[in-house]
């Protein structure tokens, strides 16, 4: 990855809040659109809730690779979830992208083509956003500096505040405060941890 993405080589709990406000550009050629990352969760190999907790396997190999790649997994026998690989090579760390916000009507229209939903229902959850962006297992290991899905460094707006909570939708490691989201953003999947 380019030098602007050197921040991805830090520990997952440090990178996760820095991904808020960054963009994901999807599509190719003249048909490219952007969504803004508004909710994330951090995971690493010291964390019992992480796929990398038991070490490197065929499934988790991408997590142990260099930062800046996509780690995609299949869950509940029906949904894909996407993560940005972070940390140092060999560490097994990633940040789950939980929710994104379309930046304009053209982006919303492109997302509706795949999800047949509108408004916040387009991308207010990790499986929903993967469906809307067309992310499948075939994109596991994808370089996020390249189309058809590129990470574009961004930042928070002046009015944005970051909320830190425990993670959701997991059985173990539920008390770890590694979930971050932009306060008041309507696309956040769950406003408060359960």
């Amino acid at each position: 990855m380019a030098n602007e993405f050197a921040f991805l080589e830090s520990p997952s709990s440090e990178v996760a809040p820095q991904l808020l406000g960054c963009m994901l550009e999807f599509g190719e050629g003249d048909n490219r659109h952007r969504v803004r990352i508004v909710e994330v969760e951090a995971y690493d190999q010291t964390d019992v809730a992480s796929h990398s907790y038991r070490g490197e396997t065929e499934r988790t190999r991408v997590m142990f690779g260099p930062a800046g790649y996509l780690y995609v997994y299949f869950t509940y026998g029906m949904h894909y979830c996407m993560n940005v690989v972070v940390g140092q090579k060999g560490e097994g760390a990633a940040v789950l992208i939980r929710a994104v916000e379309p930046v304009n009507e053209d982006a919303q229209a492109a997302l509706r083509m795949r999800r047949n939903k509108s408004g916040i229902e387009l991308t207010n959850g990790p499986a929903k956003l993967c469906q809307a962006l067309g992310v499948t297992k075939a994109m596991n290991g994808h370089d996020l500096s390249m189309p058809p899905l590129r990470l574009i460094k961004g930042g928070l707006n002046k009015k944005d505040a970051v909320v830190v909570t425990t993670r959701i939708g997991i059985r173990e490691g539920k008390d770890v405060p590694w979930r971050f989201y932009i306060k008041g953003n309507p696309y956040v999947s769950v406003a408060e941890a359960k």
Side-chain angles (χ1 to χ4, degrees):
M1 301 236 45
N3 285 344
E4 69 179 293
F5 294 110
F7 77 98
L8 294 177
E9 296 175 356
S10 296
S12 61
S13 60
E14 293 176 19
V15 174
Q18 294 180 62
L19 283 170
L20 295 175
C22 290
M23 302 283 181
L24 288 169
E25 183 179 79
F26 63 100
E28 297 190 64
D30 293 335
N31 193 29
R32 286 180 291 190
H33 305 283
R34 291 183 178 183
V35 292
R36 183 172 180 247
I37 299 171
V38 298
E39 180 185 3
V40 294
E41 286 181 347
Y43 293 89
D44 74 26
Q45 69 187 49
T46 66
D47 171 21
V48 69
S50 178
H51 292 174
S52 60
Y53 182 67
R54 299 199 192 293
E56 185 176 336
T57 65
E58 183 65 32
R59 177 189 190 197
T60 63
R61 183 164 291 131
V62 172
M63 284 182 80
F64 288 84
Y69 289 80
L70 201 61
Y71 168 56
V72 180
Y73 64 89
F74 198 55
T75 187
Y76 300 119
M78 62 173 71
H79 300 299
Y80 292 102
C81 292
M82 62 181 272
N83 301 255
V84 176
V85 175
V86 301
Q88 296 296 310
K89 187 174 181 181
E91 283 183 355
V95 176
L96 173 68
I97 308 301
R98 285 199 55 85
V100 298
E101 172 185 25
V103 299
N104 58 36
E105 181 53 44
D106 287 345
Q108 284 191 28
L111 297 168
R112 278 195 299 268
M113 298 282 288
R114 289 196 182 100
R115 254 192 72 66
N116 197 27
K117 298 282 183 182
S118 61
I120 62 172
E121 283 295 315
L122 279 172
T123 55
N124 67 337
K128 293 176 184 181
L129 72 89
C130 280
Q131 184 183 18
L133 294 171
V135 173
T136 67
K137 187 74 171 177
M139 291 189 73
N140 189 44
H142 171 72
D143 181 344
L144 285 167
S145 68
M146 306 291 291
L149 187 66
R150 287 192 325 125
L151 177 66
I152 298 171
K153 191 159 194 256
L156 298 171
N157 298 326
K158 286 184 180 179
K159 64 178 175 36
D160 290 335
V162 175
V163 176
V164 181
T165 72
T166 54
R167 297 169 299 185
I168 56 178
I170 55 176
R171 288 189 292 259
E172 298 181 89
K174 292 188 283 190
D175 297 330
V176 179
W178 281 3
R179 177 174 170 249
F180 308 86
Y181 65 86
I182 297 175
K183 184 176 184 178
N185 188 286
Y187 284 84
V188 169
S189 63
V190 177
E192 294 183 21
K194 302 252 185 227

